[in-house]
């Protein structure tokens, strides 16, 4: 069966949410094909007790660090950006999230400050690579850490891009996180890829663990994450959010846009949580154009 026919099947089935075997095999094969290239360029830095594996591609003057989502695995979460960012204009860096994929052992010990820890490790990590100023991209939980980095280290962050990201947690959000703590409610290609990578037991423990971390922001901290500190973000910020995001409500994109002074919001009609993978060509064009704009 040819590539174009598989792609047509993939698009048709995704309209109806039919995650059938042929679609999953196509997606996994596509990801694994990119993994092979990414693996040839990986490096490791020991930092904060983790052997952090990362990829650095390109030689462009604009340095960009990309934070993947929870259970962050660059071979799955950031493959389209590793492969397709303009290497003459950008130096693109991403990692396996500390405690996951090849940035382990040790296994991640989750706590209420885990997102804060990722932001601080990122700052130290980029110092070790010799990059004093750079732009940051962050997806989902990685976007939360990106916001924290921009708040706490405004002198370091050149531009900021976040998608599928929240700044607070309310009661409605906790119901979503409680829903996804149950294995029977987890589905879709992204979760299937992570299960394939990590195994059922590890995925259940850590994906469910992150859902509990997000819920505790509401129960232990009154829902406050960074919502009261967004005015400290000084850099130009691009916010993207899918209208059909089932994990992080679109209201969060609107809130970020309202409370980050120099920001713009792209409302992605029909988009879900993984905009950068499902619509990678359009996503990459939008982000690169934004990063290259004059301040």
């Amino acid at each position: 069966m040819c590539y174009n026919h598989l792609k047509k099947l993939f698009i048709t089935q995704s309209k109806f949410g039919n995650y059938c075997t042929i679609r999953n095999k196509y997606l996994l094969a596509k990801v694994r094909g990119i993994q092979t290239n990414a693996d040839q360029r990986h490096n490791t830095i020991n930092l904060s007790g983790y052997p952090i594996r990362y990829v650095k591609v390109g030689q462009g003057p604009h340095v960009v660090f990309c934070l993947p989502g929870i259970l962050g695995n660059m071979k799955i979460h950031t493959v389209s950006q590793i492969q397709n960012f303009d290497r003459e204009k950008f130096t693109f860096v991403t990692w396996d999230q500390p405690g996951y994929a090849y940035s382990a052992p040790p296994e991640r010990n989750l706590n209420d400050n885990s997102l804060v820890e990722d932001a601080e490790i990122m700052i130290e990590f980029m110092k070790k690579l010799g990059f004093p100023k750079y732009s940051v991209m962050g997806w989902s939980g990685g976007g939360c850490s990106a916001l924290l980095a921009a708040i706490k280290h405004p002198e370091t962050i050149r531009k900021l891009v976040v998608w599928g990201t929240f700044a607070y947690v309310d009661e409605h959000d906790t119901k979503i996180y409680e829903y996804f703590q149950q294995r029977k409610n987890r589905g879709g290609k992204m979760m299937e890829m992570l299960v394939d990578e990590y195994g059922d037991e590890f995925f259940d423990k850590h994906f469910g663990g992150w859902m509990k971390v997000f819920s505790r922001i509401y129960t232990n901290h009154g829902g406050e994450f960074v919502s009261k500190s967004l005015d400290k973000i000084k850099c130009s910020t691009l916010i993207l959010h899918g209208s059909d995001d089932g994990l992080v409500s679109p209201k969060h994109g609107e809130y970020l846009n309202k409370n980050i002074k120099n920001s713009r919001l792209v409302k992605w009609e029909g988009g879900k949580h993984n905009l950068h993978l499902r619509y990678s060509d359009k996503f990459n064009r939008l982000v690169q154009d934004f990063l290259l704009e004059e301040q």
Side-chain angles (χ1 to χ4, degrees), residues 2-289:
C2 70
Y3 171 86
N4 287 333
H5 186 54
L6 278 172
K7 188 175 181 182
K8 184 177 179 182
L9 278 173
F10 164 66
I11 294 170
T12 302
Q13 290 156 3
S14 60
K15 289 180 180 178
F16 298 96
N18 179 15
Y19 296 97
C20 69
T21 302
I22 192 168
R23 179 184 179 213
N24 292 333
K25 286 184 176 179
Y26 161 67
L27 288 165
L28 287 169
K30 182 180 178 184
V31 167
R32 285 171 180 148
I34 298 174
Q35 283 178 27
T36 302
N37 292 329
D39 284 345
Q40 293 171 1
R41 296 185 293 270
H42 81 266
N43 296 280
T44 301
I45 286 180
N46 292 311
L47 189 65
S48 298
Y50 297 100
I52 297 175
R53 192 173 81 140
Y54 69 97
V55 161
K56 178 169 72 71
V57 294
Q59 56 281 334
H62 194 132
V63 179
V64 184
F65 184 85
C66 186
L67 287 151
I70 60 173
L71 278 70
N73 186 316
M74 61 187 174
K75 298 187 297 180
I76 295 175
H77 285 176
T78 55
V79 288
S80 295
Q81 288 65 55
I82 293 171
Q83 197 78 341
N84 297 312
F85 256 53
D86 188 327
R87 299 184 184 187
E88 297 299 319
K89 297 175 180 177
F90 297 97
T91 297
F92 185 86
V93 185
T94 186
W95 67 11
D96 288 339
Q97 185 183 17
Y100 297 106
Y102 286 91
S103 294
E107 189 175 311
R108 193 68 180 265
N109 182 21
L110 296 175
N111 59 74
D112 290 9
N113 291 315
S114 290
L115 293 170
V116 179
E117 291 170 359
D118 279 353
E120 295 302 328
I121 294 172
M122 182 200 76
I123 294 295
E124 291 304 311
F125 172 82
M126 291 298 276
K127 283 181 183 177
K128 277 188 171 286
L129 289 189
F131 298 126
K133 195 173 183 71
Y134 46 91
S135 294
V136 177
M137 299 168 57
W139 173 45
S140 193
C144 298
S145 295
L147 291 172
L148 280 161
I151 289 167
K152 295 188 175 185
H153 303 275
E155 74 289 348
T156 300
I157 310 304
R158 182 174 174 181
K159 285 191 174 185
L160 179 64
V161 181
V162 294
W163 65 104
T165 299
F166 65 84
Y168 65 89
V169 177
D170 63 18
E171 186 175 6
H172 173 75
D173 297 324
T174 64
K175 295 186 186 303
I176 295 174
Y177 303 140
E178 289 169 3
Y179 176 84
F180 281 110
Q181 285 178 39
Q182 302 177 51
R183 178 187 287 193
K184 65 180 181 179
N185 296 328
R186 302 173 196 162
K189 68 179 183 295
M190 181 55 62
M191 292 190 187
E192 290 186 13
M193 289 177 187
L194 289 170
V195 169
D196 182 74
E197 182 78 9
Y198 290 115
D200 287 318
E201 184 177 348
F202 187 96
F203 178 81
D204 285 348
K205 176 182 177 181
H206 285 269
F207 185 84
W210 276 106
M211 295 300 101
K212 291 175 183 176
V213 167
F214 298 156
S215 292
R216 288 199 300 270
I217 292 172
Y218 179 73
T219 57
N220 295 350
H221 307 282
E224 166 58 17
F225 179 56
V226 294
S227 58
K228 296 179 180 178
S229 304
L230 294 174
D231 60 340
K232 295 180 181 178
I233 296 178
K234 306 302 181 185
C235 61
S236 181
T237 302
L238 176 64
I239 303 151
L240 305 102
H241 214 108
S243 63
D244 297 339
D245 191 328
L247 185 60
V248 181
S249 169
K251 67 187 178 187
H252 289 285
E254 295 172 1
Y255 184 91
L256 290 170
N257 181 224
K258 182 179 178 180
N259 289 279
I260 299 175
K261 292 175 184 176
N262 187 18
S263 69
R264 73 185 71 164
L265 171 64
V266 174
K267 297 180 179 180
W268 207 296
E269 290 302 320
K272 297 188 178 181
H273 194 56
N274 58 338
L275 298 174
H276 62 306
L277 297 176
R278 186 179 288 265
Y279 309 102
S280 60
D281 290 344
K282 180 181 177 182
F283 176 93
N284 288 341
R285 283 196 304 271
L286 280 170
V287 170
Q288 289 178 99
D289 287 347

